[in-house]
Amino acid sequence: MYLKKNKLYFFEVTKVGRWLVIFLLLQWLVFVGMSSVFFGVWLENNWFFSYLNHPNEIKYISLIAYVLMVFTLYFFPQVIYLNVDRFKRNLNPQDAYWWKMDQTLNAVYIFDRPYLKPFLTLDQFGELVQIDKAVLTDFFELYLFTNFTDEMNRLRIQFAKHLIKKRFEENVCLDNLYLDSGFDCQADLTYFFVEFEGVSVDEYLTSLNHNN
């Protein structure tokens, strides 16, 4: 759930995902093993039920799992000690190259606003920024951990929030908000606003009313 929430899709691009699965499996073995020991002893002492009381075998399994789990921490300490943003960049060997590309694309977003075109394709975007489609695909998936469509929709929602605040202060109608923010229809704006912001447009407007 944590990985999904933060969009850390490194299972597809690195070996850290496999490491994490092994680490969690060892944790599970330690927890189940030691819990079963105490539970088995309790059953035998209170109910004279000794079928689950095999502490020696389970202790050995749990001890080995615990030792292995502790040792695995030293393979990828960045998983524990780094935050999400730094962790994303630390995993990528092309960090410097993609960081520069990120700065270039941010400038395009600010000045050209290509995301305001509702039917913008990756090919058209590549022609605009003069970057190959395959390189852009890797950039979105491996560096931003998203895809082109989701990134454009995220930018549209950010721009829609900007328009909402501006028009709210100027008391301007929001009927054409979906067109002005680059969406093809009102339903898309409504859906993606909830998807990226966690609240509806009406709820967002209500929060602006409360703040003012």
Side-chain angles (χ1 to χ4, degrees):
M1 291 176 63
Y2 175 81
L3 299 177
K4 183 177 180 181
K5 178 181 178 181
N6 293 285
K7 297 184 178 181
L8 283 174
Y9 302 127
F10 53 77
F11 283 90
E12 301 175 0
V13 296
T14 71
K15 295 181 180 179
V16 180
R18 297 177 184 175
W19 171 87
L20 187 57
V21 171
I22 295 173
F23 179 75
L24 294 177
L25 176 62
L26 292 172
Q27 279 194 322
W28 181 81
L29 286 174
V30 172
F31 174 76
V32 173
M34 298 308 296
S35 298
S36 64
V37 169
F38 291 109
F39 185 62
V41 172
W42 180 83
L43 283 177
E44 185 173 9
N45 291 338
N46 290 274
W47 299 92
F48 305 104
F49 184 74
S50 61
Y51 181 74
L52 294 179
N53 192 6
H54 300 286
N56 289 331
E57 294 83 351
I58 297 177
K59 280 181 181 178
Y60 294 145
I61 295 174
S62 300
L63 178 61
I64 294 172
Y66 175 75
V67 171
L68 292 175
M69 183 184 70
V70 172
F71 274 111
T72 56
L73 292 176
Y74 294 95
F75 289 104
F76 292 96
Q78 65 267 33
V79 175
I80 298 174
Y81 299 115
L82 299 185
N83 59 39
V84 171
D85 292 331
R86 291 181 62 192
F87 183 42
K88 289 179 181 179
R89 287 165 171 75
N90 191 65
L91 290 176
N92 199 327
Q94 294 181 313
D95 176 62
Y97 172 74
W98 278 340
W99 183 83
K100 292 180 180 178
M101 186 185 299
D102 192 26
Q103 302 305 303
T104 300
L105 295 186
N106 284 334
V108 173
Y109 297 151
I110 294 172
F111 295 106
D112 296 330
R113 295 177 181 174
Y115 50 85
L116 295 183
K117 300 177 182 179
F119 301 105
L120 180 70
T121 65
L122 182 59
D123 289 326
Q124 293 172 339
F125 184 71
E127 292 179 4
L128 175 64
V129 298
Q130 293 297 297
I131 299 176
D132 184 76
K133 176 182 177 181
V135 176
L136 284 173
T137 300
D138 288 342
F139 169 77
F140 286 118
E141 292 183 355
L142 304 182
Y143 186 73
L144 297 183
F145 295 86
T146 183
N147 58 61
F148 171 73
T149 302
D150 284 346
E151 181 65 7
M152 292 301 105
N153 286 328
R154 184 189 69 81
L155 293 169
R156 289 170 183 139
I157 293 301
Q158 293 302 313
F159 191 72
K161 288 174 59 181
H162 166 73
L163 292 179
I164 290 173
K165 290 180 180 179
K166 182 178 178 181
R167 294 179 182 181
F168 175 80
E169 294 172 354
E170 298 174 356
N171 197 24
V172 178
C173 180
L174 297 173
D175 289 343
N176 295 322
L177 178 63
Y178 73 94
L179 290 175
D180 296 335
S181 56
F183 286 102
D184 180 43
C185 61
Q186 179 65 39
D188 286 346
L189 171 63
T190 302
Y191 174 81
F192 287 110
F193 201 96
V194 175
E195 181 75 11
F196 287 102
E197 296 300 319
V199 295
S200 66
V201 176
D202 291 337
E203 291 172 335
Y204 186 71
L205 282 169
T206 301
S207 67
L208 291 179
N209 276 317
H210 289 321
N211 292 334
N212 289 272

